[in-house]
Amino acid sequence: PRLETARREVATIGEVFEHVAVVADPPMLKGRRYGNVVIARSDRPFGDDPRLARTLLAGAAPARFLLPQEVEKFAAGARTLHDQVPG
């Protein structure tokens, strides 16, 4: 329900790429439902065209596109993931 792994993944990707997007089912983002989180990264801004948000919400499986400020808030305080190096 707290989406800890997804938050950590977003924080980790955000350390490498300036632009990170998150798309997911709105109730799931609130911890009310299980599902998938799509995390995308880019070298360029994703933009904030309101048509994208409307298209995602109107689909058979409604989804929400988090704006950059929302992505930062989503990942705030999450520990980044690191590969374990064999010793």
Side-chain angles (χ1 to χ4, degrees):
R2 294 180 36 214
L3 302 172
E4 247 180 80
T5 301
R7 292 175 193 280
R8 291 185 72 189
E9 290 170 342
V10 170
T12 302
I13 293 168
E15 277 196 342
V16 179
F17 296 97
E18 184 176 351
H19 307 286
V20 180
V22 174
V23 177
D25 177 43
M28 198 200 66
L29 288 170
K30 295 177 182 176
R32 297 183 187 149
R33 187 181 310 177
Y34 291 101
N36 295 313
V37 175
V38 176
I39 304 167
R41 61 88 181 159
S42 176
D43 293 326
R44 297 188 199 121
F46 286 96
D48 58 357
D49 186 337
R51 292 178 295 179
L52 175 60
R54 285 194 299 271
T55 299
L56 289 169
L57 285 171
R64 182 156 177 253
F65 178 85
L66 298 185
L67 296 172
Q69 313 87 288
E70 295 171 306
V71 172
E72 285 181 28
K73 185 177 177 182
F74 181 79
R79 290 186 347 240
T80 56
L81 300 166
H82 299 278
D83 291 338
Q84 291 187 4
V85 179

